[in-house]
Amino acid sequence: MTRILVISDIHANLTALEAVLSAAGAVDATWCLGDLVGYGPDPNECVKCIRAIPNLTCLLGNHDAAALGQLDLDAFNHDAKASACWMQEVLSVESKEFLLSLPQRTRALESTLVHGSPRNPVWEYLLDIYTVEQNFACFEDQLCFAGHTHLPVAYLAAKDEREISWKMLREGDNLRLKHRAILNPGSVGQPRDHDPRASYAILDPEAKSWTNFRVTYDIASVQTRILQAGLPYAHAARLSGGW
Ligand code: ZN
């Protein structure tokens, strides 16, 4: 295993997903950290595409749980709730079965994989150092992979773990992982770091190397499908600005 594709937060954006899979090229395994659906216009197409990936490890995200009716939709804001209701209507039986089969937390190659955080795998956001510090106590492996915030960020512990630093990753940034870390590949289908390009990362588990990549895709075609489906305008508009 020398090349693992790590993706998260596809959000029913098939055009972005296909661009990422094509740009990443041949890999030994793919880890998908959840939120296959929600916001975007292509939920069934994205589930079908993801489940066909060989050597796949895939997790359940909060939007996947919402689309399955497992969450109280009042936990979402108005627009997210509208898209979750739409997802519940349009998801096929096959798509629901696949999402239902996904774990909330798992391990692969001696790493911990979650959607949100190791403490609260589906819901918690890792956005501040205090929360991140607490979460370092919630997994035992050297590396934990999480999505959910849609930000390509690395939280890096010092050798003695007394200090944790963080770094937002830009295209081509590469880290050599010497100590414990929580790593987020950013979002494929709805980036929120003001770079609208789809985000993904490649892990080389032997070299302990983590590299972030960005890829352009046809945003306008996705926006057209969002509006055609009657989904909220904001979900289309935000794709252009990456927020
Ligand atoms: Zn998400």
Side-chain angles (χ1 to χ4, degrees):
M1 290 268 183
T2 55
R3 261 173 74 80
I4 295 173
L5 169 63
V6 186
I7 54 176
S8 191
D9 297 278
I10 320 308
H11 284 297
N13 183 338
L14 183 67
T15 314
L17 176 60
E18 287 178 340
V20 163
L21 296 178
S22 159
V27 293
D28 299 303
T30 299
W31 296 349
C32 174
L33 307 178
D35 274 5
L36 283 68
V37 303
Y39 296 123
D42 320 309
N44 290 311
E45 294 82 354
C46 284
V47 171
K48 199 173 169 194
C49 180
I50 290 281
R51 65 187 299 180
I53 295 173
N55 276 331
L56 173 75
T57 302
C58 189
L59 292 158
L60 182 83
N62 56 315
H63 283 263
D64 305 318
L68 291 170
Q70 293 178 348
L71 295 176
D72 180 0
L73 294 186
D74 288 334
F76 282 112
N77 67 39
H78 179 270
D79 282 353
K81 188 175 171 179
S83 92
C85 290
W86 183 81
M87 294 290 153
Q88 288 181 357
E89 275 171 38
V90 303
L91 268 186
S92 68
V93 173
E94 293 79 26
S95 295
K96 284 184 179 165
E97 276 173 5
F98 180 72
L99 296 179
L100 271 171
S101 75
L102 300 177
Q104 296 190 359
R105 173 179 174 142
T106 193
R107 291 182 75 234
L109 291 181
E110 298 177 356
S111 297
T112 297
L113 277 60
V114 292
H115 176 64
S117 78
R119 178 168 61 185
N120 185 345
V122 174
W123 267 106
E124 188 174 44
Y125 289 91
L126 296 177
L127 282 168
D128 65 272
I129 280 291
Y130 178 68
T131 306
V132 170
E133 274 174 4
Q134 293 180 329
N135 269 282
F136 265 93
C138 301
F139 68 102
E140 287 177 359
D141 297 312
Q142 182 195 347
L143 302 178
C144 174
F145 297 84
H148 196 36
T149 62
H150 300 207
L151 302 171
V153 60
Y155 295 104
L156 305 162
K159 193 176 180 184
D160 61 6
E161 290 199 23
R162 282 209 194 129
E163 243 176 76
I164 290 165
S165 60
W166 64 277
K167 181 175 165 49
M168 285 286 286
L169 298 185
R170 300 293 170 202
E171 184 184 26
D173 281 352
N174 171 266
L175 297 175
R176 292 292 164 138
L177 306 163
K178 296 191 190 111
H179 311 302
R180 295 184 79 221
I182 300 177
L183 301 163
N184 187 325
S187 169
V188 170
Q190 195 195 79
R192 293 182 190 162
D193 60 347
H194 300 284
D195 179 343
R197 296 175 299 170
S199 183
Y200 67 98
I202 296 285
L203 171 73
D204 179 337
E206 283 159 27
K208 294 269 192 265
S209 147
W210 174 253
T211 311
N212 181 257
F213 293 90
R214 302 303 281 251
V215 57
T216 53
Y217 68 96
D218 184 358
I219 292 174
S221 71
V222 184
Q223 291 172 319
T224 301
R225 293 200 300 283
I226 287 175
L227 298 177
Q228 279 170 351
L231 288 162
Y233 173 79
H235 293 173
R238 67 192 305 172
L239 295 180
S240 308
W243 51 273

